[in-house]
Amino acid sequence: MSTPSITPVVVRLKLSLLRNGLRQSGGRRAAYVASAAVALLFAVLQLAGLVALRGTAHVEALVVLLVAVLGLGWAVMPLFFPGGDETLDPTRLVMLPLRPRPLVRALLAASLVGIGPLFTLCLLTGSVVAVARGAAASAVGVVAVALALLVCVAFARAVAAANVRLLTSRKGRDLAVLSGLVVAIGAQVVNFGAQRLGSSGLAQLDPAADVLRWVPPASAVGAVHAVGEGAYGTAAAQLALSALALAVLVGVWSRHLTRLMTSPDGSTLPAAGAARERTSTGLSRLLPGGRTGAVVERSLRYVWRDPKTKAAWVTSLAIGLLVPVFNAWQGTGSVYLSCFAAGMLGIQMYNQFGQDTSAFWMVATTISSTRDAYVELRARALALLVITLPYAALVTVVTAALLGDWARLPEALGLSFALLGAMLATGAWTSARFPYSIPQEGYKNVAPGQTGLAWISVFGGMIAAALLCAPVIALAVWASVSADGEGWSRVLLPVGTAYGAVLAGLGLRFAAPRTARRLPEILTAVSKG
């Protein structure tokens, strides 16, 4: 008697999970529909664009590179977005009497349901249409699309199964922090690549495509082009390579799935040895004593350990470096763009108490006077400066080196330090005046009902900081247009540094009494998440 297939059951389970998730709230349903509409619109535009490129010289190099990047995206997706698909976690099925091989087939079929596979299918179809020439190439294209799609999905499943214990742990969820860095770098790389292609054409992709056409899943699309060229042996080898990659990925996935369903979770086992006592870190020995040192160390620990805080810092550090450096690398930037680094990191001063969430009550119990509030705010600003000052200086020097514009280095540094001081001042004041909660779960950075407060706090503070920097900006403009501008340029560094320090000090002084008076309101606001 044959055992009934579990594939239809698992596919229906995937659809039920999707349907029940959308029923939870209207906001979630609207967000899903909107994201699906945008993704499908982009997929259709990609499909139309690739079809329009049919017959263009060197189009095969473009589609091979495109499919290779697509496969890489499927591989890293489970690492950066482990919560994006609940069925990626096979530990939910370990208590069921299921054999790994039928389960792999069922999960592979269920993985083909969703926006991601549909988007991939559109892009693969457009790629095949762009390079297929003749009936034989079109027939091979049908096989190539199916094979490439299965390789992408199996790649994602194998990576997820191999790392599922990590991805469902606290440290694993911290890995999603890198998504901001990947997005920032990817956006700049795409921008840089598009500009280079616009000026040099698709021919410069040929060297990379010659290698990638033998790397699955791009090898499947390469086989379609090879058939159109009459190279049937090459096409057969490329299709065989894709089929072999699919078999290997499914085998790796099955092996990890078997181990996952038959071995105990290491996190539930007792520790192999006694817990080692924590000792004071080298950082604590370098910091001053008293409240100031304790607050600085606590703030820096938040940066390293708290997922939301770490995500904000990683994204700010990446964008603050990439924007000026990539523009300078392309020869279209300015040394003044290095102020972007100080601006991105200065944002971290805003909503200081909201970053503590409900744990702020422990800090609030230690603030009984304006003096206590001032020391607390000053220490938080010092913790930010420990990272921001050397980083802003480094980005400015690197930008000036890439542009060869050393003459304007003092001006850019002065502007960066003045902007940083202004953002410390406005950030301290808005932290006391417009605090808001940051939810610890999910990807939201503002608690429901506090979006208006967040906009006023961050964007209002940034506008105020720009206005406070107006005198230094005016001095920089004067140095650029004045006949004796070189002398003024040298003055900008000490003037900007001193001006930023004065602004930061005054901002902390003004914010301290408001913080001490509004502790109950601040505690209520930051505890809503």
Side-chain angles (χ1 to χ4, degrees), residues 117-299:
L118 181 58
F119 177 86
T120 304
L121 180 62
C122 291
L123 197 147
L124 290 173
T125 302
S127 300
V128 167
V129 171
V131 298
R133 281 189 265 178
S138 300
V140 172
V142 175
V143 178
V145 168
L147 201 54
L149 179 60
L150 290 174
V151 168
C152 289
V153 174
F155 208 166
R157 285 293 184 175
V159 171
N163 298 279
V164 68
R165 297 295 190 198
L166 170 67
L167 296 177
T168 54
S169 66
R170 173 65 181 268
K171 291 184 178 180
R173 287 192 294 270
D174 288 353
L175 192 63
V177 167
L178 296 178
S179 61
L181 179 61
V182 171
V183 170
I185 294 176
Q188 290 298 322
V189 169
V190 169
N191 178 45
F192 180 67
Q195 292 186 6
R196 292 289 300 273
L197 287 177
S199 59
S200 304
L202 298 177
Q204 63 179 342
L205 297 179
D206 286 342
D210 289 339
V211 176
L212 293 176
R213 70 177 73 252
W214 293 99
V215 178
S219 57
V221 178
V224 179
H225 177 257
V227 170
E229 295 291 321
Y232 297 108
T234 300
Q238 289 172 325
L239 281 178
L241 192 59
S242 296
L244 178 63
L246 178 60
V248 170
L249 288 171
V250 171
V252 171
W253 179 14
S254 180
R255 185 169 64 253
H256 282 292
L257 196 60
T258 302
R259 184 183 307 165
L260 190 67
M261 300 179 74
T262 57
S263 62
D265 185 356
S267 64
T268 63
L269 300 177
R276 290 177 291 182
E277 295 184 1
R278 294 181 180 271
T279 57
S280 60
T281 62
L283 175 63
S284 62
R285 290 192 290 269
L286 297 175
L287 297 174
R291 184 186 188 109
T292 299
V295 174
V296 170
E297 185 174 6
R298 183 189 70 212
S299 299

Side-chain angles (χ1 to χ4, degrees), residues 57-152:
H58 306 285
V59 68
E60 67 279 359
L62 174 64
V63 298
V64 164
L65 188 62
L66 190 63
V67 174
V69 172
L70 183 67
L72 179 63
W74 273 92
V76 302
M77 180 182 63
L79 298 177
F80 292 142
F81 304 101
D85 185 354
E86 291 177 320
T87 62
L88 281 174
D89 184 5
T91 58
R92 298 169 182 266
L93 306 173
V94 294
M95 299 302 293
L96 300 177
L98 301 173
R99 294 184 179 274
R101 187 167 296 178
L103 184 58
V104 165
R105 290 197 297 266
L107 290 176
L108 184 61
S111 300
L112 298 175
V113 178
I115 301 174
L118 181 58
F119 177 86
T120 304
L121 180 62
C122 291
L123 197 147
L124 290 173
T125 302
S127 300
V128 167
V129 171
V131 298
R133 281 189 265 178
S138 300
V140 172
V142 175
V143 178
V145 168
L147 201 54
L149 179 60
L150 290 174
V151 168
C152 289

Side-chain angles (χ1 to χ4, degrees), residues 423-483:
M423 297 192 78
L424 290 178
T426 56
W429 191 85
T430 58
S431 293
R433 181 63 182 83
F434 303 109
Y436 58 92
S437 178
I438 301 177
Q440 290 301 293
E441 299 297 330
Y443 293 97
K444 293 182 178 179
N445 290 317
V446 182
Q450 293 186 327
T451 305
L453 282 175
W455 277 85
I456 294 174
S457 175
V458 177
F459 291 99
M462 291 171 63
I463 293 173
L467 294 176
L468 289 174
C469 287
V472 181
I473 295 174
L475 184 59
V477 174
W478 174 258
S480 299
V481 301
S482 175

